[in-house]
Amino acid sequence: MADEAAEATTNLAHELLEVAMSAPETIPDRLGALEPLVPELGLELGLELARSGFAALDSQDLPRSKAAFGAAMVTFSRLEDWPRAVDCGILHADLSKALAVTEEDHELARERARGMVALARLVGLPAMMLEASVVAVASAYRAGLACRGLRDQDGHRRWLLVALTDCVESLALVEANPGSNCVRTLASLVGTTVHEVRRQHWFNEQGSEVDRLLRSIALATESLVAPGARSLTGEDADLIGLEMELASLSYHSGSPNSARERLLRVLELTQEQGDLDTFMTAAATLYAGERTSYRTPDELTAVQDRFAGAVDSFRARARSRAGRLWMAQQLDEMIGATVSDEFSRLNGCDVARAYRAVERCRARTLLDEMNGRTRHLEAPQLAQAAALEATVMHLESQPTLSDLVGDQIRLASRLPIGGLSTSPAILRSLSELEELYAAHDAGFVGTTPLGTIDTVIEALGPDEAIVSYYLPYDPLDPAGELLILGITAEGAMPIHLPLLQAEGASSLTMRIQADGRQPVDASPLGELIVNTRLSILNAEEDDAKARLAELYRILLTPLEDRGVPVRNYRTLYVVPHGILHGVPFAALRTPDGRFLAEEVATVVVPSVSVWEELRRRPRSRPSSFRGFANPVLADFEPLPDTELELEDATATLAGMDTRVLVGKDATESALRRDVAGTSIVHFATHGEFPEEDVVNMHRILLTPTSDHDGHVNAEELRAMDLSAAQLVVLSICDGGVYRFGPGDEPYGLLSALLAAGASTVLAPLWAIDDTEARLLVTAFYGTLLSHGPALALQDAAVQRLRAGAEIRDWAGFVVFGETAW
């Protein structure tokens, strides 16, 4: 009899399930038509329907599963078995939500879930109230998405408001059910809903209602974090995004302290994992929130210090040059905000902190190379690494910027890795590159600690000054504000300036990239620099002088107004930043109508830390000279003036070991043979400067041989031993031209020569006429040994200026590095 009863129950369950599939609304009548259910029989019937529901769910037959749970809910309700009835009802509502397509489908699913909330409340089942309410939140949110897909803005707005209201009600139920399995699901839904709401600008017209709901959600999520607990959302890495969303909500509508707690946990976790992208997003959210939360300067300082400590931690993880540049690229935006704040603290600027803030993000990869923090790969892996790095660093230039104007615009534009957004292919190559270096324990190891402002001040002579510039990174505005740090033997002066639009200048500020090619920056200051260079190169002397006077007003007058008389010093070390790398500082026009070169010798350095490292190196009087001139090059015109240039130069170097290699003898093989141990190395030749590969493929051209192709590119220069080279002269058109990248890292020949050990480089910022170059270089060598490079160049430039040379002919050559002999 028992078997017959079980079989009858199973058959009845199958019959009811078929009815539920085709006409679910008739289930109550079908059950009512049966003889009054014996409790045991009714229980078995309900359980059999529930088992059918789970079996269909396992086989991914969601419509059948939904029907089975619906029938089970009705069956248990007739028995007044409320826990099972509500449980099956929640499953039925959840499956309705999963199967919903239209707004009406989602609305029906929410109604069913809300019905279960009401029933659970009526019969005293708080845990099930929470479960049902979570289904209601999800249904309301999805109804909004359905409306958004149909471009129904009103419907989208209406349902997001409903979802917010449901979030508030659901969160109120969590306190009574803190251990419920659905708390994390609710937290995720809350975060997703809040994120969707906060990015809708059209909610402004109902701002007060939205703000009230957001405030309620913020307070609820904050109150549910028990003392000592990690978080409402748990510790899983996949919930970090939710933590950041809730933290952002707390800054906007709740407690800044709660937001800070969440984000500090995220920073700790992501730093341990090496997840730089998430760390940066969290750090930016934290810092922006703290800045707007009326924190004391000391509290903001604590956040800055935490971020600063992480910068070197992340940098030290990267072993390849490309990896370190990419790290710098991710860090630039956040660093810009913190550096700007260090220069404008409400309670007064701390000069030591301002100095470290600027140096922390400037030419750090070059500094590490100069300090020998690299281990070289062996030959078999070197080619593989070079190919991968070329893939990462290669970026096509804009074909529309192929003329002189385009050249100057490129020089005034930051060159990021991969452009303004990094493609997955670039990231894959970067990952392979890092793995290659790590597998062979090669590449960069550690990072060079930064010095202090005090050691810099001590190293300066009484007739020397340093002017360091910094343009805080902004993804939209390349030059919105200017930070200046003037340093002398007496102390340091920090200055924070907004960059206002110059009269007659364009108001356009942007960073734009087209077709995945090199991005272009535009700003009033950038326009002024580009037009200044164009005026100089086109010999438009009056226009050039006017623009050079304006640049003096922007860049040097603020220091003079604050008691730092830069023209009173003998040598001025200039540390440009960003678009300022293209400024010909020696040609700046003083208020009394003189060029800066007539007042003070100028030297350009990539960073104060690089200058300090160069100054620490032991120096001796130069004893040897190797010159390479007029090589035999198939695709280039001969340079006969360069032979005269070296002949005149060596005539001034009496008592030195001099050797000049010209024509077929000016080979790369000879360079590699003779360069080690040489005090002065002079190149008077052609160069190549491909715009697509500016980091490693800028090159000096020498006569090829069977052993070497004569293309001495930047990567090859880095591997040479130039530690004895107190001076390298690049008498090459555009030889001193370089691009700047993330972390204000200089690309090209200059940084390669400094990394290889050279102390000073003399090179032109643009193409100079051969005869004019020879005259200036000859004058330079005339006083080099007695005056040192900086003063020798100043004397030569002023001599050519007073002889009537145009600005482009006397101001093009620049001394880079450190010049104390």
Side-chain angles (χ1 to χ4, degrees):
M1 293 291 293
D3 291 341
E4 292 178 3
E7 184 179 355
T9 301
T10 300
N11 291 336
L12 180 56
H14 289 168
E15 179 185 340
L16 287 174
L17 179 52
E18 295 306 318
V19 172
M21 287 288 293
S22 58
E25 69 280 0
T26 66
I27 289 291
D29 292 338
R30 294 296 297 268
L31 288 172
L34 300 172
E35 293 292 328
L37 286 174
V38 177
E40 291 79 4
L41 179 60
L43 177 61
E44 284 301 319
L45 178 59
L47 292 174
E48 182 62 29
L49 286 166
R51 283 192 288 269
S52 297
F54 284 115
L57 190 59
D58 289 341
S59 63
Q60 298 297 306
D61 189 347
L62 300 190
R64 189 173 186 83
S65 182
K66 169 190 166 186
F69 285 122
M73 174 193 65
V74 176
T75 302
F76 287 127
S77 296
R78 291 182 64 83
L79 296 171
E80 297 186 359
D81 186 344
W82 302 120
R84 288 191 175 96
V86 174
D87 192 25
C88 289
I90 293 171
L91 289 167
H92 180 251
D94 200 21
L95 287 162
S96 298
K97 175 203 72 181
L99 291 166
V101 175
T102 66
E103 175 192 1
E104 292 74 18
D105 295 338
H106 289 294
E107 182 176 15
L108 180 58
R110 178 180 178 273
E111 288 176 359
R112 287 168 172 162
R114 296 295 301 168
M116 290 301 103
V117 172
L119 180 57
R121 178 181 288 112
L122 183 65
V123 298
L125 298 170
M128 290 186 176
M129 286 175 63
L130 176 59
E131 291 179 29
S133 70
V134 171
V135 177
V137 172
S139 297
Y141 178 76
R142 292 189 180 191
L145 294 186
C147 292
R148 188 181 70 180
L150 296 174
R151 301 185 182 278
D152 179 0
Q153 182 173 295
D154 291 338
H156 187 207
R157 172 171 48 188
R158 182 178 67 255
W159 279 111
L160 283 182
L161 281 170
V162 172
L164 276 183
T165 304
D166 286 351
C167 285
V168 173
E169 293 182 13
S170 297
L171 287 167
L173 299 172
V174 174
E175 190 171 1
N177 304 276
S180 172
N181 292 331
C182 63
V183 170
R184 287 193 182 185
T185 303
L186 173 61
S188 182
L189 282 168
V190 168
T192 302
T193 304
V194 167
H195 177 77
E196 183 71 13
V197 168
R198 295 182 66 206
R199 72 187 191 94
Q200 303 302 324
H201 300 296
W202 40 259
F203 263 115
N204 290 337
E205 61 193 66
Q206 293 185 334
S208 59
E209 174 64 10
V210 172
D211 285 344
R212 181 188 67 78
L213 291 169
L214 290 176
R215 192 175 303 110
S216 296
I217 291 172
L219 295 175
T221 56
E222 291 162 4
S223 67
L224 293 172
V225 180
R230 294 291 290 180
S231 168
L232 168 69
T233 64
E235 303 177 33
D236 292 2
D238 60 348
L239 292 172
I240 285 176
L242 171 58
E243 288 279 24
M244 292 194 291
E245 186 63 50
L246 294 180
S248 180
L249 175 62
S250 288
Y251 274 129
H252 181 268
S253 304
S255 163
N257 289 340
S258 176
R260 179 168 56 184
E261 261 186 61
R262 288 188 190 278
L263 290 173
L264 288 176
R265 285 195 294 269
V266 171
L267 292 180
E268 180 181 355
L269 183 59
T270 52
Q271 189 172 347
E272 289 173 359
Q273 296 171 340
D275 182 354
L276 179 60
D277 284 344
T278 307
F279 177 90
M280 286 305 305
T281 303
T285 304
L286 173 64
Y287 196 69
E290 294 296 286
R291 290 175 88 192
T292 57
S293 298
Y294 303 101
R295 299 297 190 191
T296 66
D298 286 344
E299 288 174 314
L300 273 180
T301 294
V303 176
Q304 290 169 337
D305 288 345
R306 172 139 194 172
F307 176 74
V311 169
D312 280 347
S313 172
F314 276 110
R315 285 190 71 255
R317 294 173 189 264
R319 287 180 170 266
S320 68
R321 181 178 298 104
R324 296 220 163 183
L325 291 173
W326 184 82
M327 287 285 186
Q329 185 162 303
Q330 308 312 301
L331 295 166
D332 268 346
E333 185 169 350
M334 178 64 186
I335 287 176
T338 60
V339 175
S340 179
D341 283 356
E342 289 289 7
F343 275 72
S344 57
R345 295 182 68 190
L346 295 178
N347 66 337
C349 175
D350 183 326
V351 175
R353 290 183 61 86
Y355 167 77
R356 287 182 63 83
V358 168
E359 288 298 297
R360 185 175 293 122
C361 49
R362 168 178 274 155
R364 296 293 300 281
T365 302
L366 173 59
L367 184 64
D368 288 339
E369 286 185 288
M370 292 171 61
N371 276 276
R373 292 187 172 273
T374 55
R375 298 173 185 164
H376 296 294
L377 286 167
E378 297 298 327
Q381 294 81 38
L382 198 57
Q384 182 183 356
L388 286 169
E389 186 157 276
T391 299
V392 173
M393 302 303 300
H394 181 89
L395 191 59
E396 293 289 335
S397 62
Q398 292 287 351
T400 56
L401 300 178
S402 58
D403 57 2
L404 180 62
V405 175
D407 289 341
Q408 306 313 308
I409 291 174
R410 274 195 297 269
L411 289 177
S413 300
R414 177 177 179 267
L415 185 57
I417 292 177
L420 299 181
S421 59
T422 309
S423 71
I426 294 292
L427 293 178
R428 284 194 298 271
S429 295
L430 190 58
S431 178
E432 289 181 41
L433 184 62
E434 287 296 314
E435 290 171 3
L436 176 64
Y437 275 103
H440 294 86
D441 194 23
F444 287 91
V445 180
T447 187
T448 304
L450 292 175
T452 67
I453 186 71
D454 292 335
T455 60
V456 175
I457 291 172
E458 291 171 6
L460 281 167
D463 58 352
E464 297 177 315
I466 297 174
V467 180
S468 175
Y469 296 98
Y470 186 83
L471 296 163
Y473 179 80
D474 185 309
L476 300 178
D477 187 353
E481 54 184 322
L482 175 64
L483 311 180
I484 307 174
L485 185 61
I487 311 172
T488 70
E490 289 77 39
M493 170 64 69
I495 302 172
H496 179 278
L497 296 172
L499 285 176
L500 304 178
Q501 181 181 341
E503 184 176 351
S506 167
S507 60
L508 185 64
T509 59
M510 66 175 183
R511 281 190 163 98
I512 188 169
Q513 182 176 19
D515 302 325
R517 297 176 182 270
Q518 293 181 12
V520 171
D521 296 346
S523 66
L525 179 59
E527 179 183 339
L528 174 61
I529 293 169
V530 166
N531 286 333
T532 299
R533 290 178 62 97
L534 288 171
S535 295
I536 291 172
L537 295 175
N538 292 324
E540 298 166 350
E541 296 285 290
D542 290 341
D543 286 346
K545 289 176 181 178
R547 293 187 168 107
L548 289 164
E550 176 67 4
L551 283 171
Y552 188 99
R553 183 191 67 78
I554 295 170
L555 299 175
L556 292 177
T557 298
L559 282 165
E560 294 182 332
D561 289 346
R562 291 162 176 80
V564 183
V566 293
R567 287 180 283 166
N568 288 0
Y569 295 93
R570 195 176 185 190
T571 304
L572 181 66
Y573 292 96
V574 179
V575 188
H577 187 264
I579 58 179
L580 299 180
H581 286 289
V583 174
F585 282 90
L588 296 187
R589 192 84 167 162
T590 68
D592 53 8
R594 290 164 61 84
F595 292 104
L596 187 60
E598 298 178 86
E599 308 278 353
V600 60
T602 57
V603 181
V604 174
V605 287
S607 73
V608 181
S609 298
V610 167
W611 172 85
E612 193 175 16
E613 172 62 26
L614 291 171
R615 175 146 292 196
R616 280 195 293 263
R617 294 179 177 178
R619 294 293 182 92
S620 60
R621 184 175 177 82
S623 60
S624 57
F625 174 95
R626 295 294 179 270
F628 300 83
N630 196 20
V632 178
L633 304 173
D635 298 324
F636 294 85
E637 292 293 325
L639 299 169
D641 273 6
T642 63
E643 297 187 30
L644 296 175
E645 177 182 308
L646 286 188
E647 183 179 323
D648 292 342
T650 54
T652 68
L653 303 176
M656 288 182 59
D657 171 18
T658 61
R659 184 179 181 190
V660 175
L661 300 164
V662 300
K664 63 181 179 58
D665 296 323
T667 65
E668 180 181 349
S669 301
L671 171 66
R672 292 178 177 275
R673 181 191 65 224
D674 295 344
V675 70
T678 300
S679 304
I680 301 175
V681 183
H682 187 122
F683 298 97
T685 178
H686 289 288
E688 286 185 333
F689 307 95
E691 283 297 332
E692 294 79 9
D693 300 287
V694 301
V695 177
N696 294 327
M697 300 310 292
H698 280 196
R699 59 183 69 96
I700 299 167
L701 299 180
L702 296 175
T703 303
T705 64
S706 58
D707 295 326
H708 300 98
D709 62 8
H711 292 181
V712 188
N713 61 48
E715 185 65 14
E716 292 174 307
L717 285 171
R718 283 192 188 91
M720 294 183 183
D721 179 8
L722 294 176
S723 57
Q726 297 184 47
L727 173 66
V728 176
V729 177
L730 297 178
S731 187
I732 301 170
C733 288
D734 296 317
V737 170
Y738 61 97
R739 298 289 300 274
F740 61 94
D744 205 49
E745 204 70 48
Y747 295 156
L749 296 178
L750 291 175
S751 59
L753 290 167
L754 293 176
S759 296
T760 309
V761 180
L762 175 70
L765 291 174
W766 47 69
I768 299 178
D769 174 78
D770 291 348
T771 300
E772 289 292 342
R774 178 174 61 83
L775 292 171
L776 186 138
V777 169
T778 299
F780 167 78
Y781 273 105
T783 59
L784 173 63
L785 296 182
S786 59
H787 288 32
L791 296 177
L793 179 62
Q794 181 191 19
D795 288 348
V798 172
Q799 179 180 322
R800 297 301 307 142
L801 164 64
R802 291 176 180 170
E806 295 171 333
I807 299 172
R808 66 184 178 187
D809 293 326
W810 65 260
F813 273 90
V814 176
V815 171
F816 300 88
E818 207 289 315
T819 64
W821 280 24

